[in-house]
């Protein structure tokens, strides 16, 4: 039995912040940001918007594309590093309620920018066990809410947005080998956990001291910290290795792939990966000029843009590959639309 992507959806908030807008407040410029990252502007969640509201909109679009009703969804997996609440209730539960997916279990998954591929793999396992059910897989972020807007080396990189897919079993069965041979790689290197962090967790809290009993908890202002150089080197190494290893498992050559949907962190990372793999840059989806880095949302946003612009057709060989805080990395292969 094959597992199939039945529909995709995405949502980007209306408000746009350009590099020039940032340069009005910080010692930076559009020229520096664009030449070092490939980013010109990013979408920013507006008033009344949050990770859950944006996720629900992308999910509605994916369910409409898949022609799947909320009641048919058996699982909602939502990958995020910027949940509505930290960490409970899960944003997946809030979205499940908003969508009326009354027959679905729901949970958040934290694997940072590699989170969507991790979530897809969890959902694939679920659909494989329960072939009559569908799963909603969402990558959703409001990263601009956890940035240190005085740190020009990190705040310029990120944007908000969401992407979603509905997966289900392949009816009528198409390529019977699609599921059994489709390789996925999930990996981590915890020794680099300090390269990208969101501060404000329990480890940094002092615990219950005498003075805290009976006192209100101190306000926390968690924000993102980044060692950009280290992440850059890790990313180029891992993206090319994961794509190469997936091809070995498949018995195909990288140049036989039609499209690579790599996490949109920095255009130079993608260019360096393409060079290292001796692949033309045109095979790599690139949208960070206007979306910047949307972490777990970047791959499903790219996928939805490709679908809606008619760039994907049945039988194309595609790879989705990401990396992020943890450090994590993950890649999966798909003979479109069969996972
Ligand atoms: O999704 C996972 C998270 N993504 C990432 O972690 C991204 C990975 N890393 C990167 O994309 C790049 O390392 C950055 C874009 C963050 C930085 O680019 P870089 O080419 O590695 O710059 P750098 O850190 O080596 O900095 C070079 C110079 C420094 O000045 P000095 O010390 O040489 O005088 C920085 O202070 O550029 C300066 N700089 C800036 N200047 C103007 C850093 N950020 C800026 C800025 N505008 N926004």
């Amino acid at each position: 039995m094959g597992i199939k992507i039945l529909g995709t959806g995405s949502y980007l908030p209306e408000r746009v912040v350009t590099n020039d807008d940032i340069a009005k407040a910080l010692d930076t410029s559009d020229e520096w940001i664009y030449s070092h990252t490939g980013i010109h502007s990013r979408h920013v969640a507006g008033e009344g918007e949050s990770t859950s509201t944006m996720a629900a909109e992308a999910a509605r679009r994916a369910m409409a594309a898949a022609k799947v009703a909320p009641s048919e969804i058996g699982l909602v997996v939502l990958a995020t590093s910027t949940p509505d609440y930290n960490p409970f209730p899960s944003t997946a539960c809030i979205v499940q309620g908003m969508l009326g997916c009354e027959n679905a279990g729901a949970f958040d998954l934290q694997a940072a920018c590699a989170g969507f591929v991790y979530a897809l793999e969890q959902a694939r396992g679920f659909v494989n066990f329960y072939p009559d059910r569908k799963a909603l897989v969402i990558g959703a972020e409001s990263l601009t809410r956890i940035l240190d807007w005085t740190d020009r080396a990190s705040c310029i990189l990120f944007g908000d947005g969401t992407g979603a897919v509905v997966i289900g079993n392949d009816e009528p069965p198409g390529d019977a080998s699609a599921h059994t041979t489709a390789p996925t790689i999930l990996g981590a290197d915890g020794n680099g956990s300090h390269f990208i962090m969101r501060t404000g967790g329990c480890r940094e809290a002092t615990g219950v001291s005498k003075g805290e009993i009976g006192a209100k908890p101190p306000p926390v202002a968690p924000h993102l910290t980044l060692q950009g150089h280290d992440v850059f080197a890790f990313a180029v190494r891992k993206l090319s290795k994961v794509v190469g290893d997936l091809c070995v498992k498949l018995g195909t050559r990288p140049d036989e792939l039609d499209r690579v949907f790599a996490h949109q962190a920095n255009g130079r990372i993608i260019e360096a990966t393409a060079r290292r793999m001796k692949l033309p840059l045109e095979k790599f989806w690139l949208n960070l000029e206007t979306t910047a880095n949307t972490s777990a949302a970047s791959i499903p946003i790219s996928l939805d843009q490709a679908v809606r612009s008619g760039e994907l057709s049945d039988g194309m060989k595609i790879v989705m590959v990401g990396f992020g805080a943890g450090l994590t990395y993950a890649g999966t292969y798909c003979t479109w639309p069969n996972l």
Side-chain angles (χ1 to χ4, degrees):
M1 181 190 67
I3 306 291
K4 195 170 179 177
I5 293 178
L6 303 170
T8 65
S10 62
Y11 175 81
L12 293 165
E14 204 177 311
R15 184 177 168 209
V16 168
V17 171
T18 65
N19 293 346
D20 285 334
D21 294 331
I22 297 176
K24 284 179 194 145
L26 289 182
D27 180 15
T28 187
S29 64
D30 179 49
E31 195 281 324
W32 192 97
I33 300 171
Y34 188 70
S35 62
H36 284 72
T37 67
I39 297 166
H40 263 316
S41 60
R42 69 284 295 139
H43 292 262
V44 172
E47 210 176 312
E49 286 186 313
S50 70
T51 298
S52 67
T53 65
M54 296 189 294
E57 191 48 42
R60 281 187 199 102
R61 293 174 185 182
M63 288 193 294
K67 299 187 176 58
V68 163
S71 58
E72 293 176 75
I73 302 290
L75 183 70
V76 179
V77 193
L78 188 145
T80 188
S81 297
T82 46
D84 276 15
Y85 301 98
N86 197 11
F88 60 86
S90 75
T91 306
C93 279
I94 297 169
V95 171
Q96 181 259 2
M98 285 173 165
L99 297 174
C101 296
E102 72 248 18
N103 301 315
F107 66 94
D108 284 358
L109 186 148
Q110 213 305 78
C113 310
F116 179 74
V117 178
Y118 268 75
L120 197 57
E121 192 60 4
Q122 299 297 305
R124 177 153 58 176
F126 172 82
V127 173
N128 200 26
F129 277 112
Y130 304 102
D132 57 328
R133 319 291 295 279
K134 315 267 186 283
L136 190 51
V137 188
I138 307 171
E141 303 285 7
S142 37
L143 282 152
T144 63
R145 299 211 169 141
I146 62 158
L147 298 178
D148 173 353
W149 284 99
T150 66
D151 177 15
R152 66 178 183 175
S154 63
C155 75
I156 52 141
L157 294 171
F158 298 94
D160 301 333
T162 59
V165 301
V166 176
I167 67 168
N169 84 52
D170 186 7
E171 283 179 310
D175 177 2
S177 66
H179 178 65
T180 46
T181 60
T184 291
I185 293 170
L186 303 181
D189 178 2
N191 293 321
S193 58
H194 54 292
F195 290 169
I196 321 176
M197 301 187 93
R198 181 186 174 170
T199 63
C202 293
R203 184 163 173 162
E204 294 163 26
T206 51
V208 183
S209 64
K210 204 175 167 192
E212 279 168 343
I213 295 172
K216 283 259 184 222
V220 286
H223 64 273
L224 182 146
T225 63
L226 173 70
Q227 288 178 216
H229 267 299
D230 298 308
V231 180
F232 196 106
F234 171 82
V236 176
R237 222 173 38 244
K238 282 301 176 195
L239 289 183
S240 50
K241 171 128 178 64
V242 170
V243 178
D245 287 354
L246 285 174
C247 288
V248 170
K249 283 175 186 251
L250 267 169
T252 192
R253 292 193 318 269
D255 65 343
E256 291 177 302
L257 296 174
D258 294 299
R259 277 283 188 189
V260 180
F261 293 93
H263 168 49
Q264 307 283 308
N266 183 325
R268 282 164 53 220
I269 291 176
I270 295 178
E271 282 164 18
T273 304
R275 263 198 314 276
R276 208 174 158 118
M277 301 203 69
K278 299 187 174 56
L279 290 178
L281 191 57
E282 293 67 44
K283 285 198 188 259
F284 289 76
W285 192 262
L286 274 172
N287 62 12
L288 45 58
E289 184 167 342
T290 53
T291 60
N293 179 347
T294 56
S295 191
S298 91
I299 292 174
I301 290 172
S302 300
L303 195 65
D304 184 51
Q305 290 176 342
V307 169
R308 286 173 195 267
S309 58
E311 296 244 357
L312 288 186
S313 48
D314 282 6
M316 273 187 165
K317 295 177 173 183
I318 72 166
V319 158
M320 297 175 244
V321 60
F323 64 92
L327 299 166
T328 54
Y329 55 92
T332 194
Y333 172 81
C334 173
T335 306
W336 184 257
N338 290 300
L339 276 169

